[in-house]
Amino acid sequence: SEDRKQLMTVGRYLYERDMTVKPVLNQMAGLASSIVTPQYDGDDLEWGTAAESWLYENDRWIDVRGWPYTMSDQDFLILLHIIRDGDVGELLTEDEFGNPKTQLIPAHRIGTRTDLGARGQKVQGGQFDGATIIDGVIVGDSMQAIGYRVLGDTLDQDRDFSTNDMRLHFKPYWSDQVRGRSWIGASAIGIQDVHESRRLELIAQKKLAGTD
């Protein structure tokens, strides 16, 4: 848990600080999240027009926060979060009128508090009472995710959601992996070496320029 959080912090820091890393990650997420506008190709043109119109409007307002968080922006953010943070949650919810909505939950909001952070802790109370919770992921007997814990500002505001209502997006590389790891955070040492090499090269150039 602590290693994952450190990698996430490093990944976010590099994303905001490094003007080479940031546009590259944005381009990666942008290319991977490019979507195709739905087009109906059936015989019922009236139904097809209505369906296309509904999908268009739904994609514009699918996020609970509304504009400018469209479906394409949400897809972009999911991929960016996976690369930079390691994972991101997506909560399936609805607005006050019952319209289906989604809400992205950043990685730092999914987890366990200090007293529940150790591997093998048990959930106390609620729909998952007695189940094992690992770094915010509530698992079953076969280590399958059955729910997630979303942290609020206080302990009383923490909430557990089942996998029917929330999913966790990440790329697994181990058979028993329950959380993602920041791709860019894991590359920090190599990036630091590049920066150090550039710094030393600049020092050498300045030293050479200062000699007669």
Side-chain angles (χ1 to χ4, degrees), residues 132-154:
T132 301
I133 182 169
I134 304 171
D135 199 11
V137 181
I138 304 168
V139 299
D141 295 336
S142 300
M143 286 292 291
Q144 79 278 19
I146 60 175
Y148 303 100
R149 174 159 297 175
V150 177
L151 303 177
D153 294 332
T154 63

Side-chain angles (χ1 to χ4, degrees), residues 54 58 93-101:
W54 185 90
N58 179 71
T93 182
E94 59 185 27
D95 62 16
E96 63 272 22
F97 303 107
N99 298 313
K101 298 287 182 178

Side-chain angles (χ1 to χ4, degrees), residues 42-165:
D43 296 327
D44 191 341
L45 297 181
E46 183 178 355
W47 184 91
T49 300
E52 287 180 5
S53 176
W54 185 90
L55 287 170
Y56 174 76
E57 291 299 326
N58 179 71
D59 288 356
R60 290 177 62 198
W61 307 105
I62 189 66
D63 194 292
V64 291
R65 293 168 296 180
W67 186 264
Y69 296 98
T70 64
M71 176 72 80
S72 59
D73 293 311
Q74 194 173 86
D75 291 340
F76 168 83
L77 287 172
I78 288 173
L79 288 160
L80 182 59
H81 275 275
I82 292 173
I83 299 171
R84 183 190 60 205
D85 299 349
D87 55 32
V88 61
E90 183 180 12
L91 181 64
L92 307 179
T93 182
E94 59 185 27
D95 62 16
E96 63 272 22
F97 303 107
N99 298 313
K101 298 287 182 178
T102 59
Q103 179 181 357
L104 295 186
I105 309 295
H108 68 272
R109 282 290 191 180
I110 303 168
T112 48
R113 298 188 180 273
T114 304
D115 58 335
L116 292 175
R119 187 179 180 90
Q121 285 285 342
K122 302 295 183 180
V123 177
Q124 299 179 2
Q127 60 178 320
F128 301 111
D129 185 43
T132 301
I133 182 169
I134 304 171
D135 199 11
V137 181
I138 304 168
V139 299
D141 295 336
S142 300
M143 286 292 291
Q144 79 278 19
I146 60 175
Y148 303 100
R149 174 159 297 175
V150 177
L151 303 177
D153 294 332
T154 63
L155 179 63
D156 294 339
Q157 295 176 340
D158 294 352
R159 294 189 62 187
D160 294 341
F161 295 95
S162 75
T163 51
N164 292 327
D165 298 321

Side-chain angles (χ1 to χ4, degrees), residues 3-18 21-22 24-26 28-29 76-88 104-108 169-171 180-188:
D3 290 342
R4 180 189 61 79
K5 292 176 183 177
Q6 289 178 9
L7 288 175
M8 177 181 67
T9 300
V10 171
R12 290 178 174 182
Y13 177 77
L14 286 174
Y15 176 79
E16 290 298 338
R17 181 178 182 272
D18 193 296
V21 170
K22 189 170 188 175
V24 168
L25 296 193
N26 287 346
M28 289 172 62
F76 168 83
L77 287 172
I78 288 173
L79 288 160
L80 182 59
H81 275 275
I82 292 173
I83 299 171
R84 183 190 60 205
D85 299 349
D87 55 32
V88 61
L104 295 186
I105 309 295
H108 68 272
H169 297 285
F170 69 97
K171 176 64 176 177
R181 302 290 186 271
S182 171
W183 299 4
I184 192 64
S187 306

